[in-house]
Amino acid sequence: MAETAEAAEAAEAARTGVRRGRVVEGVRAYGLIAGMWIRSTMAYRTSFALTAFGNFAMTALDFVAILLMFSRVDALGGYSLPEVAFLYGLSGVSFGLADLAIGSMERLGRRVRDGTLDTLLVRPAPVLAQVAADRFALRRLGRVVQGLLVLGYALVVVDIDWTAAKVLLLPVALISGAGIFCAVFVAAGAFQFAAQDASEVANAFTYGGTTMLQYPPTVFALDLVRGATFVLPLAFVNWLPASYVLGRPYPLDLPGWVAFTPPLAAAACCALAGLAWRAGLRSYRSTGS
């Protein structure tokens, strides 16, 4: 019995070591591929500056629309302009970080259709790392900078009763929100193994999701708020932590401690997205071309 237990422990340790090794290998491959694309981008610095500014300007139009809205109203769903800017900043930065890191996943459907995914399968590196880092677009920093500027504006003008818990919650929410959006990108990529031409469906949950989160939960129907909380937990990106920081009651009357659970939501989303990715990759059949 003792020998059997020792053998089981050894086998489990070996499996754990293999998983850790693959994670390290994936991170290394991602870094090498992303670094190659960054060097390529910085070879044309003027072009990079112009495209990054263009990305900044295009995303800024979303906040301009909110400003125009508030030129006609004093509050939106009971939220003032600084409070909506706070929601916008949290969502914008979290999504911008995810889009910068793994936004290339949206091109996976094209690779499945034309068979170029086969070239990634034969390389000695995890496929997910290769797809995520492919054509790494440093210009997407423009979205992150724009979100940070709006968030900075909100933090300056919004009336918040700051505590140590609220200060700690901000960076936790940003990092967890980025993790949740990364999981959505990966899950959407896994769906494209079956659909092959579903980039717009994926965009509905990525770009559409961050657009929804720019507005207060009080302007949406309760069924949509429930779906964004318990089905696709985008509410953990900013609605729940922002409700706690701003001292606003959440429409679903959840307890206050739920605002501190975005890391758990992000971990669960990433685990499920990983399962979906492995299932999609196993179901892939080459075009044979």
Side-chain angles (χ1 to χ4, degrees), residues 34-110:
M36 176 191 70
W37 285 106
I38 291 174
R39 289 192 297 272
S40 174
T41 298
M42 297 311 294
Y44 304 94
R45 296 178 185 271
T46 302
S47 176
F48 161 70
L50 291 174
T51 54
F53 177 77
N55 189 269
F56 173 92
M58 288 296 294
T59 55
L61 291 177
D62 290 338
F63 191 65
V64 170
I66 294 175
L67 292 175
L68 292 174
M69 194 179 304
F70 272 94
S71 68
R72 299 296 181 182
V73 299
D74 296 326
L76 185 64
Y79 282 63
S80 65
L81 175 60
E83 291 172 325
V84 173
F86 184 70
L87 291 173
Y88 180 100
L90 284 178
S91 172
V93 174
S94 295
F95 180 78
L97 291 173
D99 190 38
L100 174 67
I102 204 168
S104 297
M105 291 293 299
E106 64 184 5
R107 285 194 292 269
L108 179 62
R110 189 183 311 164

Side-chain angles (χ1 to χ4, degrees), residues 75-230:
L76 185 64
Y79 282 63
S80 65
L81 175 60
E83 291 172 325
V84 173
F86 184 70
L87 291 173
Y88 180 100
L90 284 178
S91 172
V93 174
S94 295
F95 180 78
L97 291 173
D99 190 38
L100 174 67
I102 204 168
S104 297
M105 291 293 299
E106 64 184 5
R107 285 194 292 269
L108 179 62
R110 189 183 311 164
R111 282 191 172 276
V112 171
R113 291 194 307 274
D114 61 22
T116 56
L117 183 65
D118 295 1
T119 61
L120 306 185
L121 295 173
V122 298
R123 293 175 182 171
V127 178
L128 179 58
Q130 295 184 68
V131 175
D134 182 42
R135 298 186 179 277
F136 185 87
L138 195 61
R139 67 177 184 278
R140 290 173 175 157
L141 276 174
R143 179 185 290 272
V144 179
V145 172
Q146 190 265 337
L148 284 172
L149 289 176
V150 175
L151 181 60
Y153 157 76
L155 292 175
V156 170
V157 300
V158 75
D159 185 17
I160 299 175
D161 183 17
W162 287 106
T163 63
K166 291 180 179 180
V167 173
L168 178 63
L169 184 57
L170 277 182
V172 170
L174 290 173
I175 295 172
S176 301
I180 290 171
F181 274 123
C182 282
V184 174
F185 271 113
V186 173
F191 176 68
Q192 294 190 58
F193 281 113
Q196 296 187 7
D197 191 12
S199 59
E200 294 305 319
V201 175
N203 290 343
F205 294 97
T206 52
Y207 293 93
T210 189
T211 300
M212 180 184 71
L213 295 177
Q214 293 169 2
Y215 297 92
T218 50
V219 305
F220 299 103
L222 282 180
D223 287 340
L224 180 59
V225 176
R226 291 189 186 99
T229 305
F230 301 115

